[in-house]
């Protein structure tokens, strides 16, 4: 214990600058929460020797502390990457990719099933900042070559799409991009970096919404942009520095706390979700079950080829076209164990209806019926099945 009574300096000074700021010899499993705006240097020579691009040391709280750097390193390792930049949300990580890599006059390709706020962001950059944006059929594969222009600088991928679940032919798209020196970025949130390893397939940047499985608690917003290439990392890092965003050590420590259980949670979500998807496939009310491990899902063969470790808890069902949108709304509201809400990756099951036709501009959506996205949480699978069965009976009988 510090003795606050025995020093020469005033008590106020001793409270602000106690001598035991760091407890020697104390160790625990938790990464300490290193909160900082100011980072203190031992001398001016050290301060002057620091370069902003050095990830192993810190200069200012916004750009990293031992807590956030520990999280970034673990995320890079999960994904098979080398570097990770934390962002205050998944969408901020997407934004970081744009601001780091493209400028007015450049062309960007985005799959038609992309996470909607990515589209919103790209459309804004197109309308107000001179970016050229084209949406492409997510199932185009090697056909992407036909959409590439001389000024194409970035191709987004998302596999599976997080509402309609198409699994892209990632290697075919990457090959076309590489042949022309175009950077590829994948929104890899669906697989949490566990089931799909983008760098093994030649993708340059992997974006994660850590808000989902990495947090696991439906209580944190955070994102990451992960790379192997140091020059790409530095470009993204420079943009992040200029935009003035960072993450709090408290939030980072909560994600660090959840990471060790992520794979086991993902597997548990996957087991229940796959069992429920198979059962839903037998139901007469359902026209298609869009789960990457089932044949109804476009790109199922690519899932079998490129993924290892399951699909987690997220999939969608398409109802028979004889049910109106109002009846499907009634079904969603009749569910007792599935909450109505955005996001996913936590312990609680969720359901959300979508009007997919209104979300597409570059590809035909083949289904007439309403799509409901289900997120299967960690509740007992039989209870979830009974809940869905009861809601089907109540709303659609
Ligand atoms: C949730 C999500 C994001 C964005 O994450 P936020 O932290 O909510 O901004 C990005 N991509 C996908 C596929 C997501 O599901």
């Amino acid at each position: 214990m510090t003795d606050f009574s025995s020093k020469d300096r005033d008590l106020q000074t001793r409270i602000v600058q106690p001598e035991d700021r760091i407890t020697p010899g104390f160790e625990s499993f938790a990464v300490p929460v290193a909160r900082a705006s100011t980072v203190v240097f031992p001398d001016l020579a050290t301060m002057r020797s620091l370069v902003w691009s050095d990830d192993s040391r810190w200069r200012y709280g916004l750009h990293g502390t031992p807590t956030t750097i520990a999280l970034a390193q673990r995320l890079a390792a999960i994904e098979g990457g080398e570097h990770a930049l934390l962002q205050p949300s998944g969408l901020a990580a997407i934004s970081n990719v744009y601001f780091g890599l493209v400028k007015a006059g450049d062309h960007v390709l985005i799959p038609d099933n992309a996470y909607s706020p990515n589209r919103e962001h790209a459309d804004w950059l197109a309308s107000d900042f001179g970016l050229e944006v084209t949406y492409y059929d997510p199932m185009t594969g090697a056909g992407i070559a036909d959409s590439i222009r001389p000024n194409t600088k970035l191709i987004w991928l998302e596999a599976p799409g997080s509402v309609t679940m198409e699994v892209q032919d990632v290697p075919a798209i990457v090959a076309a991009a590489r042949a022309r020196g175009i950077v590829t970025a994948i929104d890899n949130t669906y697989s949490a970096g566990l089931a799909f390893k983008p760098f093994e397939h030649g993708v340059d940047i992997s974006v994660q919404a850590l808000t989902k499985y990495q947090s696991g608690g439906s209580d944190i917003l955070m994102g990451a942009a992960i790379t192997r290439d140091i020059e790409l990392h530095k470009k993204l890092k420079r943009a992040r520095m200029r935009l003035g965003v960072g993450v709090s050590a408290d939030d980072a420590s909560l994600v660090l706390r959840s990471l060790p259980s992520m794979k086991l949670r993902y597997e548990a979500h996957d087991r229940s979700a796959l069992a429920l998807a198979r059962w839903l496939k037998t139901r007469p009310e359902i026209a298609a079950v869009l789960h990457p491990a089932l044949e109804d899902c476009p790109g199922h063969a690519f899932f079998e080829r490129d993924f290892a470790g399951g699909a987690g808890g997220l999939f969608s069902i398409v109802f028979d076209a004889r049910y109106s949108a109002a009846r499907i709304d009634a079904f969603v509201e009749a569910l007792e164990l599935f909450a109505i809400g955005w996001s996913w990756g936590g312990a609680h099951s969720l359901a959300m209806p979508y009007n997919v036709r209104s979300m597409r501009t570059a590809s035909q959506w083949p289904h007439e019926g309403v799509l409901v996205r289900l997120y299967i949480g960690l509740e007992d699978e039989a209870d979830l099945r009974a809940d869905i069965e009861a809601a089907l009976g109540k709303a659609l009988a």
Side-chain angles (χ1 to χ4, degrees):
M1 293 277 283
T2 304
D3 180 357
F4 287 100
S5 63
S6 63
K7 300 287 167 16
D8 294 337
R9 291 182 176 138
D10 184 83
L11 176 62
Q12 178 62 20
T13 304
R14 284 179 277 129
I15 292 290
V16 175
Q17 297 200 18
E19 294 193 338
D20 66 344
R21 285 197 318 137
I22 293 160
T23 308
F26 177 77
E27 283 194 41
S28 77
F29 291 119
V31 176
V33 179
R35 292 193 195 93
S37 51
T38 301
V39 173
V40 182
F41 308 107
D43 49 58
L44 289 170
T46 305
M47 182 273 288
R48 287 179 181 133
S49 74
L50 290 175
V51 286
W52 67 271
S53 58
D54 183 350
D55 280 342
S56 62
R57 298 156 83 192
W58 25 88
R59 324 171 61 212
Y60 188 58
L62 185 63
H63 309 312
T65 69
T67 316
T68 60
I69 288 168
L71 176 57
Q73 286 170 345
R74 289 172 203 198
L75 294 168
I78 290 170
E79 208 93 9
E82 294 288 337
H83 318 280
L85 279 173
L86 300 183
Q87 296 282 347
S89 70
L91 181 56
I94 290 169
S95 171
N96 190 195
V97 172
Y98 285 107
F99 280 98
L101 300 182
V102 294
K103 61 182 188 317
D106 289 344
H107 178 235
V108 178
L109 284 162
I110 303 171
D112 207 19
N113 61 352
Y115 177 65
S116 296
N118 184 350
R119 291 184 73 118
E120 172 74 31
H121 197 289
D123 291 346
W124 173 57
L125 294 180
S127 66
D128 290 15
F129 296 91
L131 197 67
E132 282 178 38
V133 173
T134 308
Y135 294 96
Y136 68 89
D137 180 342
M139 299 315 293
T140 189
I144 192 77
D146 297 336
S147 303
I148 292 174
R149 300 177 188 170
N151 58 339
T152 305
K153 291 287 156 56
L154 171 66
I155 300 178
W156 277 102
L157 301 98
E158 196 170 322
S162 67
V163 175
T164 46
M165 307 295 155
E166 298 92 339
V167 185
Q168 296 195 277
D169 187 348
V170 175
I173 294 171
V174 166
R178 293 224 146 183
R180 291 160 185 81
I182 300 165
V183 175
T184 50
I186 191 167
D187 184 332
N188 198 30
T189 301
Y190 186 94
S191 86
L194 296 170
F196 184 73
K197 303 290 182 187
F199 300 110
E200 287 177 13
H201 298 278
V203 179
D204 297 306
I205 302 170
S206 182
V207 164
Q208 284 290 339
L210 309 175
T211 306
K212 310 291 165 52
Y213 292 114
Q214 289 83 352
S215 136
S218 307
D219 54 358
I220 298 283
L221 286 151
M222 204 181 290
I226 301 153
T227 48
R228 262 189 186 170
D229 180 72
I230 181 69
E231 293 310 321
L232 214 42
H233 172 67
K234 282 187 191 170
K235 279 187 188 169
L236 299 179
K237 193 170 180 185
R238 188 178 284 115
R240 188 185 72 158
M241 190 238 304
R242 289 171 175 169
L243 287 166
V245 293
V247 305
S248 86
D250 295 85
D251 284 354
S253 82
L254 288 172
V255 179
L256 279 164
R257 196 172 190 270
S258 293
L259 273 194
S261 66
M262 180 166 76
K263 183 164 179 286
L264 298 177
R265 287 184 282 112
Y266 193 83
E267 288 166 359
H269 291 292
D270 183 56
R271 267 195 307 279
S272 295
L274 187 56
L276 289 169
R278 289 205 171 109
W279 167 71
L280 281 160
K281 182 67 194 148
T282 68
R283 295 288 309 197
E285 300 91 343
I286 309 292
V289 177
L290 303 176
H291 184 296
L294 301 187
E295 286 194 355
D296 282 356
C297 192
H300 164 66
F302 303 133
F303 179 80
E304 296 288 307
R305 184 189 66 190
D306 298 338
F307 281 63
L314 199 71
F315 67 98
S316 293
I317 49 180
V318 182
F319 281 87
D320 190 284
R322 70 179 180 274
Y323 301 112
S324 67
R327 303 271 309 270
I328 303 308
D329 283 357
F331 161 75
V332 169
E333 292 190 333
L335 292 164
E336 290 182 1
L337 294 176
F338 289 76
I340 299 168
W342 305 114
S343 200
W344 39 277
H348 297 78
S349 290
L350 300 166
M352 188 65 83
Y354 286 86
N355 177 358
V356 179
R357 287 244 156 91
S358 71
M359 298 157 66
R360 298 275 161 137
T361 56
S363 52
Q364 246 343 107
W365 176 243
H367 300 286
E368 291 288 333
V370 177
L371 179 147
V372 173
R373 185 175 80 175
L374 297 175
Y375 169 65
I376 307 304
L378 296 174
E379 302 90 345
D380 178 66
E381 180 211 317
D383 285 340
L384 293 176
R385 186 182 306 215
D387 190 35
I388 296 171
E389 198 158 22
L392 288 171
K394 206 164 153 189
L396 305 184

